[in-house]
Amino acid sequence: MRLLIIEDDREAVAYLVKAFREAGHVADHAADGLDGYALAREGAYDVLIVDRMLPKLDGLSLIRSLREQAVATPVLILSALGQVDDRVKGLRAGGDDYLPKPYAFSELLARAEVLARRGGIASGTAEPTAYRVGELELDRLSHRVHRAGREVALQPREFRLLEYLMRHAGQVVTRTMLLEHVWDYHFDPQTNVIDVHVSRLRAKLDKGFPQALIHTVRGAGYMIRADEPRAP
């Protein structure tokens, strides 16, 4: 899930960006309404999280402008104004959900995931909730992975890496693709971070199994595939 958080509270933004990334999602940030409006129009986001009180362009005006421009990305409004009339105004402005402050991140995450699924279904681009490659299964909703019925415990970054590989099963995934979609880097940090994580993921997936699933494509990147067993 790729989110845009439009919020001017630096501490709140730092917390949300970190929490969403730890949950395996990509989170971008805009500090005022005008920047948020520009990013929301140009970027491909699954969900917009918009604070109601923003500098330069308030949250409700931002949402109205997006809807006037036929931007249909689901919007979750965050606000310290939590009375019924406030929520109604937010929804009538074009918001899809309204969460009063203070809130629990677990609830915010669940609401954002629901909006992302609804948005995907409405646009006909909904991603599957599970992936399967041979005997390997990944459930995006429960964040659980099994190989041949045995659960494989993964860290959030490992889960996100595996999800991206499985989404492109049978295709070569380049280093640049992984940096941009798993690490959210738009440059090469000149580290072996990808090699290290792929190595750890391989060790967890292949432990106790004779067949490797993640393959290195020399000079290109990585590929996940389930090779047919060799004939005796």
Side-chain angles (χ1 to χ4, degrees), residues 12-48:
V13 166
Y15 168 73
L16 288 178
V17 168
K18 181 175 183 291
F20 275 116
R21 289 178 177 174
E22 287 178 347
H25 303 296
V26 175
D28 294 337
H29 165 238
D32 63 65
L34 289 180
D35 284 348
Y37 175 70
L39 286 172
R41 287 193 62 191
E42 297 176 4
Y45 295 101
D46 299 302
V47 176
L48 308 177

Side-chain angles (χ1 to χ4, degrees), residues 157 160-165 168 172-185 194-195 198 220-223:
R157 184 74 68 180
R160 192 166 155 190
L161 172 59
L162 179 60
E163 179 186 353
Y164 192 77
L165 289 169
H168 299 277
V172 175
V173 174
T174 68
R175 180 186 181 89
T176 299
M177 292 166 68
L178 291 174
L179 285 171
E180 291 185 352
H181 294 280
V182 179
W183 275 264
D184 200 25
Y185 295 161
I194 292 178
D195 298 330
V198 170
Y222 300 95
M223 177 189 296

Side-chain angles (χ1 to χ4, degrees), residues 17 22 48-49 63 72 82 88 110 114 135 153 160 164 177 180 186-187 209 212 214 222 225-226:
V17 168
E22 287 178 347
L48 308 177
I49 296 178
I63 296 166
V88 170
V114 167
E135 59 192 4
R160 192 166 155 190
Y164 192 77
M177 292 166 68
E180 291 185 352
H186 297 284
F187 60 93
F209 295 94
I214 300 176
Y222 300 95
R225 67 174 188 267

Side-chain angles (χ1 to χ4, degrees), residues 57-76:
L57 181 67
D58 70 88
L60 298 192
S61 297
L62 182 157
I63 296 166
R64 290 192 191 97
S65 297
L66 289 174
R67 298 311 187 217
E68 289 172 0
Q69 295 297 316
V71 177
T73 308
V75 174
L76 193 161

Side-chain angles (χ1 to χ4, degrees), residues 101-123:
K101 300 178 180 180
Y103 53 82
F105 176 73
S106 57
E107 181 178 3
L108 174 60
L109 174 61
R111 287 172 179 253
E113 290 175 338
V114 167
L115 289 180
R117 291 198 297 273
R118 288 178 182 171
I121 292 171
S123 64

Side-chain angles (χ1 to χ4, degrees), residues 5 66 99 115-117 131 133 161 185 190 205 209-210 220 227:
I5 302 169
L66 289 174
L99 185 60
L115 289 180
R117 291 198 297 273
Y131 294 102
V133 176
L161 172 59
Y185 295 161
Q190 299 297 318
L205 293 179
F209 295 94
D227 292 330

